[in-house]
Amino acid sequence: MRGESGIRIWEMPSGKLKTHDFNRFRYALVPDSDELKKLTPIRSHDFMRDCLDAFDHMLGSTASWSSKFKQLASYVRFCDKIAQKPFEAISVNAYVEHLFDKQLQGDIRDSVYGKTVSDLKATLEAINSNYAKYFDFVRRLRRSQGTSHEGYSQRELELLVVTLYDLFNQLYNAYKADPTGFIGTKWQSVATVQIDEKQHRVTGALSRFVAVGAYLMSFFTGLNSSVLLKMTRELETTVIDGKRYLKYTQVKPRARYAHVSTPIPEESSSYLSQIFRCLAEVAHQTAPNNRWLFAFPTQQAERLQSAHLSNFNKWFKKSFALKADDGSELFPLISNFRVNVSLEEARKNGAHSSARMLDNQVTQVTNNYSRTSAFESESRMASSLEHIYQSVTQPIESKAEPQPETVSETKHSLQLESIFKCFSCEHQALIDEPYSAWLYLSLIKQLESQTLTSKWPLISEMAERNFECFSQGIRNEAHALFEKLGPHPLWQGNSLKQVTDKC
């Protein structure tokens, strides 16, 4: 939206309008708009117009534009402080070095450093394509401060899922009772729900309903937000082991553009199927002209965005005031649900199965999910999550049948047995990378602490032989991983004892 000369007003994903005054760039240290009349500009009108034109033709969302505007203001302000012109190589290099110093001091994370440099390059390149060359020799950092996601405890998970499902159920019933109160109203729709004998007035009921549905879908599927929020309501049908499923397939860029597939059972007894069908029904009637399952039309987008989930959590924390085990605020996060889903899968079928289920490699699971959360917390998740599913009222009345665990336990044992047999295979291929070496080193260390049977010395010998095949540098990194993380998840617990009689 165009405002006065040099001003742009953009609608954020939350629905709020935000003003961006490009006239500020003409003045020293980029002051606030209400101070401009008192000051004398130090840069030309053309300077401001170049910045404005770049943003007028920039691709992306309004949220990204707003972020780049703020970043450009910080950069220009820095240039004024060191008395350098913004559109010069020396200024870019000085600013990047400034960011690098902040990263070394721990003031910003390396991920923030990388994104800031990337955003600034995109902005300056949009202003003038020749400015891109200023970034040819800036520092590039490897990600060394990856955030480990924490899973929920059993109590936290039950409290969250039951609250979310109850809220989803009541909002769905409110929609069914008065669809016109939801259709086309965006943030203006209102509903009343009762959670734990306390009434809550839900403003923006359509938004809240779609956001709750997204969190519940993430709990049941383990999909990350970038893949989940692109789900459409029309899916192809497939048959797996004689049962009909809806198949959702999406490209995951962070997995080298691999295709991620998630089956959704068609039968009404499936909780996942019920949530999907309720969301699809509401989306079809409230947003018939688009294809998204999490349809939520705004001026800038046709579906739910991550910013809407953040807005939902602010409301959720204020409305329900749930407490985590440590007394902090308890609220839903898709990344945390993925930890619990991976943890349950690892408990039943092993770490490799967990990695496949998350569409990751074991290395990615180790890098992105803290060992404390994803593996040592198994005791907190020792019992199946099935009783959580049974403790809520379903929108469509039915009960899911608990699945026996004997098959899963057998699969886990067979996976380990097959790994042992691979050790002696002449066709086995080893990848010279730290996490593969860590797996073999962990097995060797675990065997050293066991009471040896007649079979284990042979396994240990084969593991040591394979470990020696890795280069010295990789073996050193494997030792560092063992010191930092302990044994590889595949060899934790009583895994060795489970398969010793089968090898």
Side-chain angles (χ1 to χ4, degrees), residues 339-391:
V339 173
N340 286 104
V341 172
S342 69
L343 194 157
E344 183 71 0
E345 183 68 17
R347 183 183 71 82
K348 289 184 176 181
N349 299 317
H352 282 273
S353 179
S354 173
R356 286 194 301 272
M357 184 274 301
L358 291 176
D359 307 293
N360 286 329
Q361 299 296 325
V362 173
T363 56
Q364 291 172 289
V365 174
T366 305
N367 285 334
N368 296 302
Y369 297 90
S370 67
R371 178 172 173 262
T372 299
S373 297
F375 300 107
E376 286 186 348
S377 300
E378 287 193 17
S379 59
R380 298 191 308 186
M381 296 290 291
S383 59
S384 172
L385 298 178
E386 189 66 37
H387 68 281
I388 296 179
Y389 311 152
Q390 299 293 346
S391 63

Side-chain angles (χ1 to χ4, degrees), residues 294-313:
F294 303 105
F296 180 59
T298 66
Q299 182 177 340
Q300 300 295 334
E302 295 184 330
R303 60 176 174 83
L304 198 70
Q305 305 290 325
S306 295
H308 294 126
L309 295 178
S310 298
N311 184 280
F312 170 85
N313 275 339

Side-chain angles (χ1 to χ4, degrees), residues 25-44:
F25 290 119
R26 297 185 61 199
Y27 297 81
L29 301 178
V30 196
D32 292 337
S33 297
D34 55 6
E35 299 178 16
L36 301 186
K37 292 181 180 179
K38 310 173 189 176
L39 303 172
T40 301
I42 65 171
R43 282 177 281 268
S44 68

Side-chain angles (χ1 to χ4, degrees), residues 105-121:
Q105 294 167 11
D107 295 334
I108 62 173
R109 301 183 67 85
D110 48 11
S111 57
V112 174
Y113 169 90
K115 187 178 188 307
T116 303
V117 173
S118 176
D119 285 351
L120 180 61
K121 179 182 178 182

